[in-house]
Coordinates of all heavy atoms in Angstrom, one line a residue:
I1 N 139.9 83.2 67.7 CA 139.4 83.4 69.1 C 140.6 83.8 69.9 O 141.7 83.4 69.7 CB 138.8 82.1 69.6 CG1 137.6 81.7 68.7 CG2 138.3 82.3 71.0 CD1 137.0 80.4 69.1
G2 N 140.3 84.6 71.0 CA 141.4 85.1 71.8 C 141.6 86.5 71.6 O 141.2 87.1 70.6
D3 N 142.2 87.2 72.6 CA 142.4 88.6 72.5 C 143.2 89.0 71.2 O 142.9 90.1 70.7 CB 143.1 89.1 73.7 CG 142.3 89.0 75.0 OD1 141.0 89.0 74.8 OD2 142.9 89.0 76.1
N4 N 144.1 88.2 70.8 CA 144.9 88.5 69.6 C 144.7 87.5 68.5 O 145.5 87.3 67.6 CB 146.4 88.5 70.0 CG 146.7 89.5 71.1 OD1 146.3 90.7 71.0 ND2 147.3 89.1 72.2
C5 N 143.5 86.9 68.5 CA 143.1 85.9 67.5 C 144.2 84.8 67.4 O 144.5 84.3 66.3 CB 143.0 86.6 66.1 SG 141.7 87.8 66.1
E6 N 144.7 84.4 68.5 CA 145.8 83.4 68.6 C 145.3 82.0 68.5 O 146.0 81.1 68.3 CB 146.7 83.6 69.8 CG 146.1 83.4 71.1 CD 145.3 84.5 71.7 OE1 145.0 85.5 71.0 OE2 144.9 84.5 72.9
I7 N 144.0 81.8 68.7 CA 143.4 80.4 68.7 C 142.4 80.3 67.6 O 141.5 81.2 67.5 CB 142.8 80.1 70.1 CG1 143.8 80.2 71.2 CG2 142.1 78.7 70.1 CD1 143.1 80.2 72.6
N8 N 142.5 79.3 66.8 CA 141.5 79.1 65.8 C 140.7 77.9 66.3 O 141.2 76.8 66.5 CB 142.2 78.7 64.4 CG 141.3 78.5 63.3 OD1 140.1 78.2 63.5 ND2 141.7 78.7 62.1
C9 N 139.4 78.1 66.4 CA 138.5 77.1 67.0 C 138.5 75.8 66.2 O 138.2 74.8 66.7 CB 137.1 77.6 67.2 SG 136.2 78.1 65.8
S10 N 138.9 75.9 65.0 CA 139.0 74.6 64.2 C 140.2 73.8 64.5 O 140.3 72.6 64.1 CB 138.9 74.9 62.7 OG 140.0 75.7 62.3
D11 N 141.2 74.4 65.1 CA 142.5 73.7 65.4 C 142.3 72.7 66.5 O 143.0 71.7 66.6 CB 143.6 74.7 65.8 CG 144.0 75.5 64.6 OD1 143.7 75.2 63.5 OD2 144.6 76.6 64.8
I12 N 141.4 73.0 67.5 CA 141.3 72.1 68.6 C 139.8 71.9 68.8 O 139.0 72.6 68.1 CB 141.9 72.7 69.9 CG1 141.4 74.1 70.1 CG2 143.4 72.7 69.8 CD1 141.9 74.8 71.4
N13 N 139.4 71.1 69.8 CA 138.0 70.9 70.1 C 137.5 72.1 70.9 O 137.0 72.0 72.0 CB 137.7 69.6 70.8 CG 136.3 69.4 71.1 OD1 135.4 69.9 70.4 ND2 136.0 68.5 72.0
Y14 N 137.5 73.3 70.3 CA 137.2 74.5 71.1 C 135.7 74.7 71.3 O 135.3 75.4 72.2 CB 137.7 75.7 70.3 CG 138.1 76.9 71.2 CD1 139.3 76.8 72.0 CD2 137.4 78.0 71.2 CE1 139.6 77.8 72.8 CE2 137.7 79.1 72.0 CZ 138.9 79.0 72.8 OH 139.2 80.0 73.6
C15 N 134.9 74.0 70.6 CA 133.4 74.1 70.8 C 132.8 73.0 71.6 O 131.6 72.8 71.7 CB 132.7 74.2 69.4 SG 133.3 75.6 68.4
N16 N 133.7 72.2 72.3 CA 133.3 71.2 73.2 C 132.3 70.1 72.7 O 131.5 69.6 73.4 CB 132.6 71.9 74.5 CG 133.6 72.7 75.2 OD1 134.6 72.1 75.8 ND2 133.4 74.0 75.3
N17 N 132.4 69.8 71.4 CA 131.5 68.9 70.8 C 130.1 69.3 70.9 O 129.2 68.5 70.7 CB 131.7 67.5 71.4 CG 133.0 66.8 71.1 OD1 133.5 67.0 70.0 ND2 133.6 66.1 72.0
N18 N 129.8 70.6 71.2 CA 128.5 71.1 71.3 C 128.2 72.1 70.2 O 127.2 72.9 70.3 CB 128.2 71.7 72.7 CG 128.5 70.7 73.8 OD1 128.1 69.5 73.7 ND2 129.1 71.1 74.9
G19 N 129.0 72.2 69.2 CA 128.8 73.2 68.2 C 129.9 73.0 67.1 O 130.7 72.1 67.2
I20 N 129.8 73.9 66.1 CA 130.8 73.8 65.0 C 131.5 75.2 64.9 O 131.0 76.2 65.3 CB 130.1 73.4 63.7 CG1 129.0 74.4 63.3 CG2 129.6 72.0 63.7 CD1 128.5 74.3 61.9
C21 N 132.7 75.1 64.4 CA 133.5 76.3 64.2 C 133.2 76.9 62.8 O 133.3 76.2 61.8 CB 134.9 76.0 64.3 SG 136.0 77.4 64.1
Q22 N 132.7 78.2 62.8 CA 132.5 78.9 61.5 C 133.1 80.2 61.6 O 132.8 81.0 62.6 CB 131.0 79.0 61.2 CG 130.3 77.7 60.8 CD 128.9 77.9 60.4 OE1 128.2 78.9 60.8 NE2 128.4 76.9 59.7
N23 N 133.9 80.6 60.7 CA 134.6 81.9 60.7 C 135.3 82.2 62.0 O 135.1 83.3 62.5 CB 133.6 83.0 60.3 CG 133.0 82.8 58.9 OD1 133.7 82.4 58.0 ND2 131.7 83.1 58.8
S24 N 135.9 81.2 62.5 CA 136.7 81.3 63.8 C 135.8 81.6 65.0 O 136.3 82.0 66.0 CB 137.8 82.3 63.7 OG 138.7 81.9 62.7
E25 N 134.5 81.3 64.9 CA 133.6 81.4 66.1 C 132.8 80.1 66.2 O 132.5 79.5 65.2 CB 132.7 82.6 65.9 CG 133.4 83.9 66.0 CD 132.4 85.1 66.0 OE1 131.2 84.8 66.0 OE2 132.9 86.2 66.0
C26 N 132.5 79.7 67.4 CA 131.7 78.6 67.7 C 130.2 78.9 67.4 O 129.7 79.9 67.9 CB 131.8 78.1 69.1 SG 133.4 77.4 69.5
V27 N 129.5 78.1 66.6 CA 128.1 78.2 66.4 C 127.5 77.0 67.2 O 127.7 75.8 66.8 CB 127.7 78.2 65.0 CG1 126.2 78.2 64.8 CG2 128.3 79.3 64.2
C28 N 126.8 77.3 68.3 CA 126.4 76.2 69.2 C 125.2 75.5 68.6 O 124.3 76.0 68.0 CB 126.0 76.8 70.5 SG 127.4 77.7 71.3
E29 N 125.1 74.2 69.0 CA 123.9 73.4 68.7 C 122.8 73.8 69.7 O 123.1 74.5 70.7 CB 124.2 71.9 69.0 CG 125.3 71.3 68.1 CD 125.6 69.9 68.5 OE1 125.1 69.4 69.5 OE2 126.4 69.3 67.8
D30 N 121.6 73.5 69.3 CA 120.5 73.8 70.2 C 120.7 73.2 71.5 O 121.2 72.1 71.7 CB 119.1 73.3 69.6 CG 118.7 74.1 68.4 OD1 119.3 75.1 68.1 OD2 117.8 73.6 67.7
G31 N 120.4 74.0 72.6 CA 120.6 73.5 73.9 C 121.9 73.9 74.6 O 122.1 73.7 75.8
Y32 N 122.8 74.6 73.8 CA 124.1 75.0 74.4 C 124.4 76.5 74.1 O 123.9 77.0 73.1 CB 125.2 74.1 73.8 CG 125.2 72.7 74.3 CD1 124.5 71.8 73.5 CD2 125.7 72.3 75.5 CE1 124.4 70.5 74.0 CE2 125.7 71.0 75.9 CZ 125.0 70.1 75.2 OH 124.8 68.8 75.6
T33 N 125.1 77.1 74.9 CA 125.5 78.5 74.7 C 126.9 78.7 75.3 O 127.5 77.8 75.9 CB 124.5 79.4 75.4 OG1 124.7 80.8 74.9 CG2 124.5 79.3 76.9
G34 N 127.4 79.9 75.1 CA 128.7 80.3 75.6 C 129.7 80.5 74.4 O 129.4 80.0 73.4
T35 N 130.8 81.2 74.7 CA 131.7 81.4 73.6 C 132.2 80.1 73.0 O 132.4 80.0 71.8 CB 133.0 82.2 74.2 OG1 132.5 83.4 74.8 CG2 134.0 82.5 73.1
N36 N 132.4 79.1 73.8 CA 132.9 77.8 73.4 C 131.8 76.7 73.5 O 132.1 75.5 73.6 CB 134.1 77.4 74.2 CG 135.1 78.4 74.3 OD1 135.3 79.2 73.4 ND2 135.9 78.4 75.4
C37 N 130.5 77.1 73.5 CA 129.4 76.2 73.7 C 129.5 75.4 74.9 O 129.1 74.2 74.9 CB 129.2 75.3 72.4 SG 129.1 76.3 70.9
E38 N 130.1 76.0 76.0 CA 130.4 75.2 77.2 C 129.2 75.1 78.2 O 129.3 74.3 79.1 CB 131.6 75.8 77.9 CG 131.4 77.2 78.5 CD 131.6 78.4 77.6 OE1 131.5 78.2 76.3 OE2 132.0 79.4 78.1
Y39 N 128.1 75.8 78.0 CA 127.0 75.8 78.9 C 125.8 75.1 78.3 O 125.4 75.3 77.2 CB 126.6 77.2 79.3 CG 127.7 78.0 79.9 CD1 128.2 79.1 79.3 CD2 128.2 77.7 81.2 CE1 129.2 79.9 79.8 CE2 129.2 78.4 81.7 CZ 129.7 79.5 81.1 OH 130.7 80.2 81.7
D40 N 125.3 74.2 79.1 CA 124.0 73.4 78.7 C 122.9 74.3 79.2 O 122.7 74.5 80.4 CB 124.1 72.1 79.4 CG 122.8 71.2 79.1 OD1 121.8 71.8 78.6 OD2 122.9 70.0 79.3
C41 N 122.1 74.8 78.3 CA 121.0 75.7 78.6 C 119.9 75.0 79.4 O 119.1 75.7 80.0 CB 120.4 76.3 77.3 SG 121.5 77.3 76.3
T42 N 119.8 73.7 79.3 CA 118.7 73.0 79.9 C 118.9 72.7 81.4 O 117.9 72.3 82.0 CB 118.4 71.7 79.1 OG1 119.5 70.9 79.2 CG2 118.1 72.0 77.6
V43 N 120.1 72.9 81.8 CA 120.4 72.6 83.2 C 119.7 73.6 84.1 O 119.8 74.8 83.8 CB 121.9 72.6 83.5 CG1 122.2 72.5 85.0 CG2 122.6 71.5 82.8
K44 N 119.0 73.2 85.1 CA 118.3 74.1 86.0 C 119.1 74.3 87.3 O 119.8 73.4 87.8 CB 116.9 73.5 86.3 CG 116.0 73.4 85.1 CD 114.7 72.9 85.4 CE 113.9 72.7 84.1 NZ 112.9 73.7 83.9
D45 N 118.9 75.5 87.8 CA 119.6 75.8 89.1 C 118.8 75.3 90.3 O 117.8 74.6 90.0 CB 119.9 77.3 89.2 CG 118.6 78.2 89.4 OD1 117.5 77.6 89.6 OD2 118.7 79.4 89.2
S46 N 119.2 75.5 91.5 CA 118.6 75.0 92.6 C 117.1 75.4 92.8 O 116.3 74.8 93.5 CB 119.4 75.3 93.9 OG 119.4 76.7 94.1
N47 N 116.7 76.5 92.1 CA 115.4 77.0 92.1 C 114.5 76.5 90.9 O 113.4 76.9 90.7 CB 115.4 78.5 92.1 CG 116.0 79.1 93.4 OD1 115.7 78.6 94.5 ND2 116.8 80.1 93.2
G48 N 115.1 75.6 90.1 CA 114.4 75.1 89.0 C 114.4 76.0 87.8 O 113.6 75.8 86.9
I49 N 115.3 77.0 87.7 CA 115.3 77.9 86.6 C 116.4 77.6 85.6 O 117.6 77.4 86.0 CB 115.6 79.4 87.2 CG1 114.5 79.7 88.2 CG2 115.5 80.4 86.0 CD1 113.1 79.8 87.8
D50 N 116.1 77.5 84.3 CA 117.1 77.2 83.3 C 117.7 78.5 82.8 O 117.3 79.6 83.2 CB 116.6 76.3 82.2 CG 115.5 77.0 81.4 OD1 115.3 78.2 81.4 OD2 114.8 76.2 80.6
Y51 N 118.6 78.4 81.8 CA 119.4 79.5 81.3 C 118.4 80.6 80.7 O 118.7 81.8 80.8 CB 120.3 79.0 80.2 CG 121.2 80.1 79.6 CD1 122.3 80.6 80.3 CD2 120.9 80.7 78.4 CE1 123.1 81.6 79.7 CE2 121.6 81.7 77.8 CZ 122.7 82.2 78.5 OH 123.5 83.2 78.0
C52 N 117.3 80.2 80.1 CA 116.4 81.1 79.5 C 115.2 81.5 80.5 O 114.2 81.9 80.0 CB 115.8 80.5 78.2 SG 117.1 80.3 76.9
N53 N 115.5 81.3 81.8 CA 114.5 81.6 82.8 C 113.2 81.0 82.7 O 112.1 81.5 83.0 CB 114.4 83.2 82.9 CG 115.6 83.8 83.5 OD1 115.9 83.7 84.6 ND2 116.4 84.5 82.6
N54 N 113.2 79.8 82.1 CA 111.9 79.0 81.9 C 110.9 79.8 81.0 O 109.8 79.4 81.0 CB 111.3 78.6 83.2 CG 112.1 77.7 84.0 OD1 113.1 77.1 83.5 ND2 111.8 77.5 85.3
N55 N 111.4 80.8 80.3 CA 110.5 81.6 79.4 C 110.9 81.5 77.9 O 110.5 82.3 77.1 CB 110.6 83.1 79.8 CG 110.1 83.3 81.2 OD1 109.2 82.6 81.7 ND2 110.8 84.1 82.0
G56 N 111.7 80.5 77.6 CA 112.1 80.3 76.2 C 113.0 79.1 76.0 O 113.2 78.3 77.0
E57 N 113.5 78.9 74.8 CA 114.3 77.7 74.5 C 115.6 78.2 73.9 O 115.7 79.3 73.3 CB 113.7 76.9 73.4 CG 112.4 76.2 73.9 CD 111.9 75.3 72.8 OE1 112.5 75.2 71.7 OE2 110.8 74.7 73.0
C58 N 116.7 77.5 74.2 CA 118.0 77.8 73.7 C 118.2 77.2 72.3 O 118.1 76.0 72.2 CB 119.1 77.3 74.7 SG 120.7 77.8 74.3
Q59 N 118.4 78.1 71.3 CA 118.5 77.7 70.0 C 119.7 78.4 69.4 O 119.8 79.6 69.4 CB 117.3 78.0 69.1 CG 116.1 77.2 69.6 CD 114.8 77.6 68.8 OE1 114.8 78.5 67.9 NE2 113.8 76.8 69.0
K60 N 120.7 77.6 68.8 CA 121.9 78.1 68.2 C 122.6 79.1 69.2 O 123.1 80.1 68.8 CB 121.6 78.8 66.9 CG 120.9 78.0 65.9 CD 121.8 77.0 65.3 CE 121.2 76.2 64.1 NZ 121.5 74.9 64.1
G61 N 122.6 78.7 70.4 CA 123.4 79.5 71.4 C 122.7 80.7 72.0 O 123.3 81.4 72.8
K62 N 121.5 81.0 71.6 CA 120.7 82.1 72.1 C 119.3 81.7 72.5 O 118.8 80.7 72.0 CB 120.6 83.2 71.0 CG 121.9 83.6 70.4 CD 121.9 85.0 69.9 CE 123.2 85.4 69.2 NZ 124.4 85.4 70.0
C63 N 118.8 82.5 73.4 CA 117.4 82.2 73.9 C 116.4 82.7 72.9 O 116.5 83.8 72.5 CB 117.2 82.8 75.3 SG 118.1 82.1 76.6
K64 N 115.5 81.8 72.5 CA 114.4 82.2 71.7 C 113.2 82.3 72.7 O 112.7 81.3 73.2 CB 114.1 81.2 70.6 CG 112.9 81.6 69.7 CD 112.7 80.8 68.6 CE 111.5 81.3 67.8 NZ 111.2 80.6 66.6
C65 N 112.8 83.5 73.0 CA 111.8 83.8 74.0 C 110.4 83.4 73.6 O 110.0 83.6 72.4 CB 111.8 85.2 74.5 SG 113.5 85.8 75.0
E66 N 109.6 83.0 74.6 CA 108.2 82.8 74.4 C 107.5 84.1 74.2 O 108.0 85.1 74.6 CB 107.6 82.0 75.6 CG 108.1 80.6 75.7 CD 107.6 80.0 77.0 OE1 107.0 80.6 77.8 OE2 107.9 78.8 77.2
E67 N 106.3 84.1 73.7 CA 105.5 85.3 73.6 C 105.4 86.0 74.9 O 105.1 85.4 75.9 CB 104.1 84.9 73.1 CG 103.1 86.0 72.8 CD 103.2 86.6 71.4 OE1 103.7 85.8 70.5 OE2 102.8 87.7 71.2
G68 N 105.6 87.3 74.9 CA 105.5 88.1 76.1 C 106.8 88.3 76.9 O 106.8 89.0 77.9
Y69 N 107.9 87.7 76.4 CA 109.2 87.8 77.0 C 110.2 88.3 76.0 O 110.2 88.0 74.8 CB 109.6 86.5 77.7 CG 108.8 86.1 78.9 CD1 107.7 85.3 78.7 CD2 109.1 86.6 80.1 CE1 106.8 85.0 79.8 CE2 108.3 86.3 81.2 CZ 107.2 85.5 81.0 OH 106.4 85.2 82.1
T70 N 111.3 89.0 76.5 CA 112.4 89.5 75.7 C 113.6 89.5 76.6 O 113.6 89.1 77.7 CB 112.0 90.9 75.2 OG1 113.0 91.2 74.2 CG2 111.9 91.9 76.2
G71 N 114.7 89.9 76.0 CA 116.0 90.0 76.7 C 116.9 88.8 76.3 O 116.4 87.8 75.8
E72 N 118.2 89.0 76.6 CA 119.2 87.9 76.2 C 118.8 86.6 76.8 O 119.0 85.5 76.2 CB 120.5 88.4 76.7 CG 121.7 87.5 76.2 CD 123.0 88.0 76.5 OE1 123.2 89.2 76.4 OE2 123.9 87.2 76.9
Q73 N 118.3 86.6 78.0 CA 117.9 85.3 78.7 C 116.4 85.3 79.0 O 116.0 84.6 79.9 CB 118.7 85.2 80.0 CG 120.2 84.9 79.7 CD 121.0 84.7 80.9 OE1 121.5 85.7 81.5 NE2 121.1 83.5 81.4
C74 N 115.6 86.0 78.2 CA 114.1 86.0 78.3 C 113.7 86.4 79.7 O 112.7 85.8 80.3 CB 113.6 84.6 78.0 SG 114.0 84.0 76.3
N75 N 114.4 87.3 80.3 CA 114.2 87.7 81.7 C 113.4 89.0 81.8 O 113.2 89.5 82.9 CB 115.5 87.7 82.5 CG 116.5 88.7 81.9 OD1 116.4 89.0 80.7 ND2 117.4 89.1 82.7
E76 N 112.9 89.5 80.7 CA 112.2 90.8 80.7 C 110.8 90.5 80.1 O 110.7 89.9 79.1 CB 112.9 91.8 79.9 CG 114.3 92.2 80.4 CD 115.1 93.0 79.5 OE1 114.5 93.9 78.7 OE2 116.3 92.9 79.4
R77 N 109.8 91.0 80.8 CA 108.4 90.9 80.3 C 108.2 92.1 79.3 O 108.5 93.2 79.6 CB 107.4 91.0 81.4 CG 107.2 89.6 82.0 CD 106.2 89.6 83.1 NE 104.8 89.2 83.0 CZ 104.3 88.2 82.2 NH1 105.0 87.6 81.4 NH2 103.0 87.9 82.3
K78 N 107.6 91.7 78.2 CA 107.2 92.8 77.2 C 105.9 93.5 77.8 O 105.1 92.8 78.4 CB 106.9 92.2 75.9 CG 108.1 91.7 75.1 CD 107.6 91.2 73.7 CE 108.8 90.7 72.9 NZ 108.3 90.2 71.6
L79 N 105.9 94.7 77.6 CA 104.7 95.5 78.1 C 103.7 95.6 77.0 O 103.9 95.7 75.8 CB 105.1 96.9 78.6 CG 106.1 96.8 79.8 CD1 106.5 98.2 80.2 CD2 105.4 96.1 81.0

């Protein structure tokens, strides 16, 4: 990890206890995302919107969108 691969995520708690290090990258547990699994996907903003825009669930660091939604954060409606 790092611009010059100077940090190995297995050397330190680089995945914030929210994921595991595989091939020098964090693989996040369900409910967490980010390069270092630093974001809790279930936390809602002041408008009650979570990371997946209330249109999906965060699984393995990515949003798994409900039927009818797409996009990295389930913020696009399928036509």
Side-chain angles (χ1 to χ4, degrees):
I1 298 174
D3 292 338
N4 300 310
C5 299
E6 67 275 13
I7 300 170
N8 183 335
C9 61
S10 62
D11 292 342
I12 54 176
N13 184 19
Y14 210 72
C15 301
N16 293 298
N17 290 326
N18 300 322
I20 58 170
C21 180
Q22 287 184 340
N23 299 320
S24 296
E25 291 186 3
C26 292
V27 176
C28 302
E29 294 175 356
D30 290 348
Y32 292 91
T33 191
T35 303
N36 308 332
C37 305
E38 68 271 30
Y39 301 112
D40 183 341
C41 300
T42 62
V43 172
K44 297 184 184 251
D45 66 15
S46 60
N47 296 316
I49 307 296
D50 66 15
Y51 183 79
C52 297
N53 289 288
N54 296 345
N55 299 320
E57 292 182 2
C58 189
Q59 296 179 352
K60 302 285 186 221
K62 305 212 183 296
C63 291
K64 181 175 180 177
C65 302
E66 294 174 354
E67 183 89 21
Y69 291 91
T70 189
E72 188 175 319
Q73 290 181 269
C74 303
N75 56 340
E76 301 171 29
R77 276 183 101 32
K78 287 183 181 178
L79 300 176

